[in-house]
Amino acid sequence: MPNTQDDQQTGDPNYVVGLDLAGRRVVVVGGGSVAQRRLGLLIASGADVRVISRTVTPAVEGMASSGQIGLELRDYAPGDLDGAWYAVACTDEPETNAAIVAEATERRIFCVRADNARLGTAVTPATARYDGMTLGVLAGGRHRRSAAVRNALLEALQSGVVTGDSEPAAPGVALVGGGPGDPDLITVRGRRLLARANLVVADRLAPPELLAELAPDVEVIDAAKIPYGRAMAQEAINSALVEGAKAGKFVVRLKGGDPYVFGRGYEELEACVAAGVPVTVVPGVTSAISVPALAGIPVTHRGVTHEFVVVSGHIAPDHPDSLVDWPALARLRGTLVLLMAVERIEKFAAALLEGGRPADTPVTVVQEGSLRTERVLRADLATVAERVRAEGIRPPAIIVIGPTAGFDAAIPDSARTAAAE
């Protein structure tokens, strides 16, 4: 990166290099929180770490008791750096840190001085590990600046804005869960793979903003499954995935929520495996849990509910193809989350009431959860169907039934528990 004017004025004489410390002695003088933060990477590097300090934090003591480091509870003394390849001075006494640096310099051992980086002979970079790489950023001892740049680089790599791959993605298919709708709620791995796609087969509920980030040469196939309307046959979707991969493309099947929660993801995996196409599955944040959470509703809560059940509402309770035991659901005391249920809410409410669920059971309906257009409707089991029609609630929407559906963020936990009892 080119020097900024600030860098030109202050100067940064540090030479960036990676040290192989495996099996080599590293002496850390000081056992407080500063040392604690630095020990993890030293241990991970395989170094023979020796800590010298009068007192240590419980975490450092735990590292010693587990055999990860050697520990001597005493003052630093000249000669402690004997045999060391690298040293870290991080006591809270400037004169002691200066003495450690002086000994290290005399022995030609590079030494980091934690209290004043410019007075040491080495500087610890802000580091991060990513996909087999180690990132290190130095800013002339200005740790906040180096940490900020490190974080920005890591986020850019994780999001796919910057790629760390020099080779094109190998042909194959990735089944990626896009989350509940907000583009920020896709997983880091999902976004990274999406950025490498040559072909994207996207559902209607997949975050559309993610498609706008794709390069102009990326082909996008609309596999929209509009409820109770036009739909691309599952067989055609399977064929698009297989044919794209066999044509040498890296194909991302981008879905809303999670691929395996009412997403037919496993059917697509089976089709790819049968055709000899390699498949990667990237779980997503399912709307069944995330949408209620964003609306202030936990699907479980201590002392209130010990279970939650997620049910597809694409088939009515009285339909011969229904696999759901609605009388059993009605007898449960926990949380019931209905997906794809708006069109048949009257039948689901009736089945639960008939099975014994109290009419005043709280119900919350969240339309277009996580998006700017989100709408939240609160009712009870006896009135929810009428309220949904009166308010014009439409898919996609999540319906939450049970005690936690009545939670209000302004009500303290003690009041909720007392009410449940």
Side-chain angles (χ1 to χ4, degrees):
M1 297 177 65
N3 288 336
T4 65
Q5 183 177 2
D6 183 46
D7 289 333
Q8 292 169 351
Q9 291 174 349
T10 62
D12 187 349
N14 295 297
Y15 179 79
V16 180
V17 65
L19 298 180
D20 180 4
L21 295 176
R24 298 185 168 97
R25 174 165 294 195
V26 173
V27 176
V28 177
V29 184
S33 60
V34 175
Q36 178 181 317
R37 289 197 301 269
R38 295 172 185 250
L39 287 172
L41 287 178
L42 291 172
I43 293 169
S45 73
D48 174 18
V49 182
R50 303 290 167 171
V51 174
I52 299 170
S53 182
R54 288 192 298 269
T55 60
V56 297
T57 67
V60 174
E61 184 178 0
M63 294 175 191
S65 61
S66 64
Q68 294 177 298
I69 62 172
L71 175 61
E72 297 183 42
L73 295 174
R74 60 174 176 81
D75 287 326
Y76 159 78
D80 280 341
L81 302 188
D82 186 32
W85 289 67
Y86 187 66
V88 182
C90 52
T91 75
D92 56 4
E93 301 167 350
E95 59 278 7
T96 300
N97 291 337
I100 297 166
V101 173
E103 179 184 350
T105 302
E106 181 181 352
R107 293 173 176 268
R108 297 187 178 182
I109 300 167
F110 283 108
C111 180
V112 172
R113 181 168 170 175
D115 63 334
N116 191 328
R118 296 179 185 276
L119 297 182
T121 56
V123 178
T124 302
T127 61
R129 300 279 175 85
Y130 174 81
D131 196 26
M133 299 186 295
T134 299
L135 309 178
V137 180
L138 294 177
R142 288 165 289 175
H143 298 304
R144 289 188 178 182
R145 186 182 185 198
S146 59
V149 174
R150 182 269 319 273
N151 293 343
L153 287 173
L154 183 59
E155 183 177 353
L157 284 165
Q158 291 173 335
S159 66
V161 173
V162 174
T163 178
D165 300 294
S166 59
E167 299 295 329
V173 172
L175 305 179
V176 175
D182 185 329
D184 286 342
L185 295 179
I186 188 174
T187 64
V188 169
R189 190 180 189 195
R191 196 160 196 159
R192 175 159 51 90
L193 292 181
L194 183 63
R196 302 185 67 194
N198 308 116
L199 170 64
V200 177
V201 181
D203 276 353
R204 182 179 72 95
L205 296 181
E209 291 92 337
L210 296 176
L211 300 179
E213 297 176 0
L214 298 173
D217 60 336
V218 177
E219 180 184 359
V220 178
I221 295 178
D222 178 12
K225 291 180 179 296
I226 301 174
Y228 317 111
R230 179 181 61 82
M232 184 177 183
Q234 187 62 50
E235 292 75 13
I237 296 174
N238 297 347
S239 296
L241 300 179
V242 171
E243 292 171 5
K246 288 193 170 183
K249 299 178 180 180
F250 178 57
V251 184
V252 169
R253 174 71 169 108
L254 183 62
K255 297 172 170 289
D258 180 274
Y260 284 2
V261 180
F262 304 127
R264 299 190 180 182
Y266 197 76
E267 295 179 38
E268 293 162 358
L269 179 140
E270 288 180 313
C272 292
V273 170
V277 172
V279 184
T280 299
V281 178
V282 183
V285 180
T286 175
S287 60
I289 300 174
S290 59
V291 166
L294 292 170
I297 300 171
V299 293
T300 65
H301 187 71
R302 183 164 58 94
V304 177
T305 175
H306 292 172
E307 84 279 341
F308 70 95
V309 180
V310 182
V311 179
S312 171
H314 73 290
I315 294 179
D318 56 355
H319 195 284
D321 292 339
S322 176
L323 303 176
V324 179
D325 188 341
W326 286 97
L329 288 182
R331 291 192 297 271
L332 294 178
R333 300 173 59 187
T335 306
L336 178 61
V337 180
L338 301 181
L339 308 183
M340 303 174 285
V342 169
E343 294 295 323
R344 298 175 177 83
I345 182 59
E346 290 88 355
K347 293 186 176 183
F348 298 130
L352 294 171
L353 289 168
E354 183 180 348
R357 274 266 179 157
D360 61 353
T361 299
V363 180
T364 295
V365 183
V366 185
Q367 176 185 305
E368 299 177 355
S370 83
L371 302 178
R372 293 186 298 273
T373 54
E374 176 179 296
R375 297 175 61 194
V376 178
L377 181 150
R378 294 181 179 272
D380 56 34
L381 196 55
T383 62
V384 63
E386 179 183 352
R387 292 285 308 284
V388 163
R389 301 303 173 221
E391 298 291 335
I393 298 295
R394 62 183 187 278
I398 306 295
I399 300 174
V400 187
I401 302 171
T404 62
F407 278 13
D408 186 322
I411 301 176
D413 287 348
S414 57
R416 291 171 179 163
T417 304
E421 294 173 351

